[in-house]
Amino acid sequence: MAKAKVSKRPTRDEFVLEEIGNQLSEAKQENSEIVLTVWGWEEQVRGLITTMDSRTGKVHIQRDEETTKVPFMDIMKVDYPRD
């Protein structure tokens, strides 16, 4: 019996990754709330960037006293909330 294939994370070129990195850095510097679309996650992640950990490759997003650690390589899109 064949195993179900888990969909692989789409590959993005360096330009796209650099753009996402720039958007995250800017949002952190300006203390702007952001909305992240994360590969493989049902819900978007919304909040403020508290840490960009180069050692673990994770971006720490805080909202309402709760911190979510998102792997940078899984971030597909960075948006700003529309409300």
Side-chain angles (χ1 to χ4, degrees), residues 3-51:
K3 278 207 300 203
K5 272 172 70 177
V6 176
S7 66
K8 271 178 53 192
R9 179 195 316 127
T11 53
R12 278 113 359 117
D13 63 21
E14 281 176 42
F15 176 76
V16 173
L17 293 172
E18 188 177 327
E19 182 62 28
I20 289 171
N22 290 343
Q23 289 174 311
L24 294 172
S25 297
E26 200 174 287
K28 184 175 186 328
Q29 283 171 349
E30 295 173 1
N31 219 24
S32 304
E33 188 177 37
I34 55 165
V35 178
L36 299 180
T37 302
V38 185
W39 174 79
W41 292 28
E42 295 271 316
E43 293 181 20
Q44 292 181 313
V45 180
R46 179 174 174 166
L48 296 171
I49 298 173
T50 56
T51 310

Side-chain angles (χ1 to χ4, degrees), residues 7-8 27 31 38 62 68 72 75 82:
S7 66
K8 271 178 53 192
N31 219 24
V38 185
Q62 184 165 4
T68 306
F72 173 74
I75 297 172
R82 293 189 178 82

